[in-house]
Amino acid sequence: MAAEVVLDVEERIAGVTEVAQAVRVPRQRGEQLLEAAAWYAEERHWDVVPGTWLDVVEGAERCSCGDAGCASPGAHPARPDWMGQATGSGAAARRMWSDRPGSSVLLPAGRAFDALDVPESAGFLALARMERMGLPLGPVTRTPDRRMLFLVLPGASAKAPGLVSGLGWDAGALGLVGRGEGHYVVGPPTRVGGRGAVQWARRPSQANRWLPDVDELISPLAYACAREAADARERLS
C-alpha cells in the first residue's frame, strides 16, 4: 500500500513523471552541465562551483579525486577551498565549465538557500501533504541515493533541530538533515557515478522563485519522516 501511495504522488508532481518508472539515465554531457550551471547563476541567482568529474580508468568510471571507493563519485567538491571558488556570474560559470566540461554542478548552501534533506519516500509523502495544505514550496531535488532536498530560506539548517524537537521528535533519528553554510546541494543534471543523475522532483520556476521558510514546511516533513521511520521499524519486526 505504501509503495502505491508513493508512485501515485510521483505521477502527480510536476517534473517527476519521467522518474516514476525505472529509466535509463543518458550519459552526462559537458554542454548540459555548462548550460545548467550558467542558468542557475543567471536565472536563479544561485552561486555555483564546479566539483569533481568522472574519468574512465581501465574501462570503468572513477571519480577524479582518485579514491576508488569514493562515496559520491563525480559529485563532490574538487578542492578544499571550493566555497571561495563559487560564483554567481553566468559568464564566470561558462568559463569554469568550459575548462572542465564534465565537472559536477555544486550549489553552495547557506547563501541563497538552505536545504532540508530527507529520505525519498518521506519526501514524496510530505509533498502530497503540503499540496493538500496549500503550503508554498520551493524547488526540490531527488538524488540517486534516494534522498530528497527541499530548498528553503537560509537559516533553516540551524533552526530545524529545535523546531523538530518542539514537535516531539529528534531530527537525527528521523533522518531529517539541514544543509546550510559549509554544505552544498548537487545540482541536476549531475550524475553520481553509475547510480544515475540528480533530478528535479519539483523544478525551479517563476512560481517558486520565492522560497518558503523552514517554519512553514517543518511539520509535514517531520511527520512524514516519523511515519517512514515507524514503517521501517515495523518491517524489521
Side-chain angles (χ1 to χ4, degrees):
M1 180 64 181
E4 293 176 358
V5 171
V6 170
L7 285 175
D8 177 64
V9 173
E10 284 183 331
E11 291 169 356
R12 291 190 297 105
I13 295 174
V16 186
T17 303
E18 69 272 20
V19 298
Q21 303 289 336
V23 296
R24 290 194 301 272
V25 177
R27 288 190 61 82
Q28 181 166 273
R29 298 199 302 271
E31 61 269 23
Q32 291 178 320
L33 293 166
L34 185 156
E35 293 303 324
W39 189 87
Y40 294 144
E42 293 169 347
E43 299 298 327
R44 296 299 294 201
H45 305 294
W46 293 342
D47 283 358
V48 295
V49 62
T52 53
W53 57 92
L54 295 170
D55 286 326
V56 177
V57 179
E58 297 179 350
E61 287 186 324
R62 296 281 181 85
C63 184
S64 61
C65 72
D67 180 1
C70 181
S72 299
H76 64 85
R79 43 194 293 178
D81 61 343
W82 64 272
M83 287 188 290
Q85 300 299 311
T87 180
S89 162
R94 292 179 187 278
R95 288 195 298 272
M96 288 178 172
W97 269 268
S98 292
D99 291 340
R100 177 63 67 177
S103 297
S104 52
V105 179
L106 306 183
L107 309 171
R111 301 182 181 186
F113 60 80
D114 277 10
L116 299 174
D117 182 343
V118 302
E120 178 186 85
S121 54
F124 278 124
L125 290 173
L127 276 176
R129 185 175 177 84
M130 291 171 186
E131 286 192 327
R132 289 196 301 270
M133 297 170 68
L135 295 179
L137 284 166
V140 182
T141 68
R142 178 179 186 266
T143 76
D145 298 322
R146 301 186 66 81
R147 304 286 298 184
M148 290 176 70
L149 287 84
F150 291 69
L151 303 193
V152 292
L153 290 174
S157 178
K159 293 168 63 177
L163 291 172
V164 175
S165 178
L167 295 169
W169 291 300
D170 175 76
L174 298 183
L176 193 159
V177 181
R179 305 290 182 192
E181 185 68 32
H183 294 267
Y184 58 88
V185 170
V186 179
T190 298
R191 189 158 55 89
V192 185
R195 302 172 201 167
V198 178
Q199 301 180 5
W200 289 110
R202 182 172 288 274
R203 298 178 184 277
S205 68
Q206 284 298 117
N208 60 32
R209 180 171 290 277
W210 302 106
L211 300 179
D213 190 78
V214 60
D215 303 74
E216 300 174 278
L217 305 188
I218 199 67
S219 180
L221 276 174
Y223 171 83
C225 287
R227 178 174 167 180
E228 170 59 23
D231 288 346
R233 288 193 299 269
E234 186 175 323
R235 289 193 294 269
L236 292 174
S237 63

